[in-house]
Amino acid sequence: MSILVIAEHDNKALNGATLNVVAAAQKIGGDITVLVAGSGAQAVADQAAQVAGVSKVLLADNAAYANQLAENVAALVAQVGTGYSHILAASTSNGKNVLPRAAALLDVSMISDIIAVESPTTFKRPIYAGNAIATVESSESIVLATVRGTAFDPVATTGGSATVEAVSDVQDAGISKFISEEIVKSERPELTAARIVVSGGRGVGSGENYHKILDPLADKLGAAQGASRAAVDAGFVPNDMQVGQTGKIVAPDLYIAVGISGAIQHLAGMKDSKVIVAINKDEEAPINAVADYWLVGDLNTVVPQLASQL
Amino acid sequence: MKALVAVKRVVDANVKVRVKPDNSGVDLTNVKMSINPFCEIAVEEAVRLKEKGTVSEILVVSIGPKEAQEQIRSAMALGADRGILVEIADEIGALEVAKILKGIVEQEKPELILLGKQAIDDDSNQVGQMLGALLGAGQGTFASIVNVTGDKVQVTREVDGGLQTVELNLPAIITTDLRLNEPRYAALPNIMKARKKPLDVKSPADYGVAATTKLKTVKVEPPAERKAGVQVKSVDELVAKLKNEAKVI
């Protein structure tokens, strides 16, 4: 078995999501190679070489890969990936963008968002917003899958001593161009990797109130902040904070849901959290059914009180 | 220009699905079915582009059972001009769906191809990207803003850290995110008119594609149930429980 893992990075640092994918690759078993496609990404390759369990790093360093355009990166993955038994990527917006395209170029089916490895060809994945778990077996010549990070404990960032090899192959399809990006800057831990997440829903009332009520609590706990789709659509917070089926999937040790009713689409994004706390004025809210502890009350008084007691 | 929109018939987003006792799948008998919400957003975007004069004709395609005609008619009631149903008996793989769509694109030559970013039943998020690869066309996935200018389209995409804008040559594939637009409701006269719009029925074989998949669903199970929680009466009690019982703070 030989496994190719597509590194997730920003040309400067390796994203933690890659460590979860390497963990999934170890469950499959075999030689693990990490492909770093980027521009000026030597530092990322060096970091990847240190990661426990990685035996080789391939660095494709070219301007064509600078912004991870799927048209170019997928062509590279399809080119480099032919000799491998498995190709894995993280279930991030980037992994989801690139891997299906690479699969079609290789003329193979692909499995999205695996949460467990049953055998090298059999995997579990959630369907219907996490309301059912399917066990899927692939009979393709190469198994391609994206990996749900929260389902696999990350491997260590150190302990490995892989060799870094340059890939000279340049795939530039010339049909797409990067124009700009707007990345939300935050001092808080990254949402999908945080140990504690404090999330707000429609119940917080406004963007101003979201920050007034939830910032002090998140600060006290060193928590990342999330939101329900209702809060995002109402414009309280930007959409990269959305937790749910169509947003981010989180599984922290502690998830505090404030003013969130708990629609199934939201639950799909957080119900694997270790401990769930719901603070809501509605005794009948569906969130209470998955919560370990729920408190019925006015979030405007309860949340500041909670923050002051921590 | 011509726009092609792919729509999928799926279980309605508000239905709480149940796994069949024999673990062969999810029980869909007598369950309400609808257009996949992301596909509906794709239809709406095509209709808005037609209202702006960018798009001249909207072709809506569904690959599914005979009953998927209902979803094509719903898309027509929202403003699509004609439809193609590729009738299949069982679920097929995303790769095969992309191959059928490629066959249709090659015949119809649309310049804009709009799909939802994922179907809410299999949650795969694959077909648009696969179709892009098969056609050698650019892909603007998870789109929240679409701007067509000349022979290019600028797409603002929802990515993990925020937003990213890319420019693609036409023809291009766009997959829609929730915030792209808010789909309209179909008015009754439009529903009546939709019944008279042309709808062709085809089979995968018409496009030289075998309706199959190399992924076998071995079993489908309900997710592990969380054990029932407790209601706490006060903030003091909550803090005590989190510290002493759950030990997470």
Side-chain angles (χ1 to χ4, degrees), chain A residues 41-219:
Chain A
Q42 181 69 45
V44 180
D46 292 341
Q47 282 175 38
Q50 302 291 311
V51 170
V54 174
S55 53
K56 190 158 81 175
V57 175
L58 298 175
L59 172 62
D61 208 320
N62 191 279
Y65 310 128
N67 300 102
Q68 303 289 320
L69 290 173
E71 295 77 8
N72 302 346
V73 177
L76 174 74
V77 172
Q79 189 73 32
V80 172
T82 45
Y84 293 86
S85 62
H86 294 73
I87 305 176
L88 305 180
S91 272
T92 52
S93 59
N94 191 43
K96 291 177 192 167
N97 192 33
V98 169
L99 207 64
R101 191 171 175 108
L105 293 173
L106 291 163
D107 195 26
V108 296
S109 307
M110 177 197 134
I111 308 175
S112 294
D113 220 12
I114 59 166
I115 55 167
V117 176
E118 302 284 289
S119 82
T121 53
T122 312
F123 306 89
K124 287 194 175 190
R125 63 176 300 263
I127 54 174
Y128 290 91
N131 286 303
I133 306 297
T135 305
V136 183
E137 191 180 357
S138 171
S139 56
E140 291 287 7
S141 53
I142 307 181
V143 174
L144 269 73
T146 49
V147 176
R148 180 176 287 196
T150 58
F152 297 89
D153 291 331
V155 297
T157 51
T158 55
S161 56
T163 51
V164 179
E165 235 172 71
V167 178
S168 53
D169 190 46
V170 177
Q171 300 282 342
D172 191 351
I175 49 176
S176 58
K177 199 166 84 183
F178 170 83
I179 301 290
S180 63
E181 66 187 356
E182 242 178 87
I183 299 298
V184 180
K185 290 202 168 51
S186 172
E187 306 281 300
R188 297 181 194 286
E190 203 227 334
L191 183 53
T192 52
R195 204 181 68 79
I196 301 179
V197 173
V198 175
S199 255
R202 201 199 309 266
V204 300
S206 68
E208 199 186 326
N209 215 35
Y210 178 98
H211 291 292
K212 195 180 108 198
I213 300 289
L214 298 189
D215 287 3
L217 179 60
D219 286 340

Side-chain angles (χ1 to χ4, degrees), chain A residues 71 97 112 135 245 271 309, chain B residues 123-124 139 141 218 226 236:
Chain A
E71 295 77 8
N97 192 33
S112 294
T135 305
Q245 183 191 17
K271 70 180 163 52
Q309 290 200 22
Chain B
D123 287 333
S124 280
Q139 65 187 48
T141 50
V218 182
R226 291 187 72 93
D236 295 335

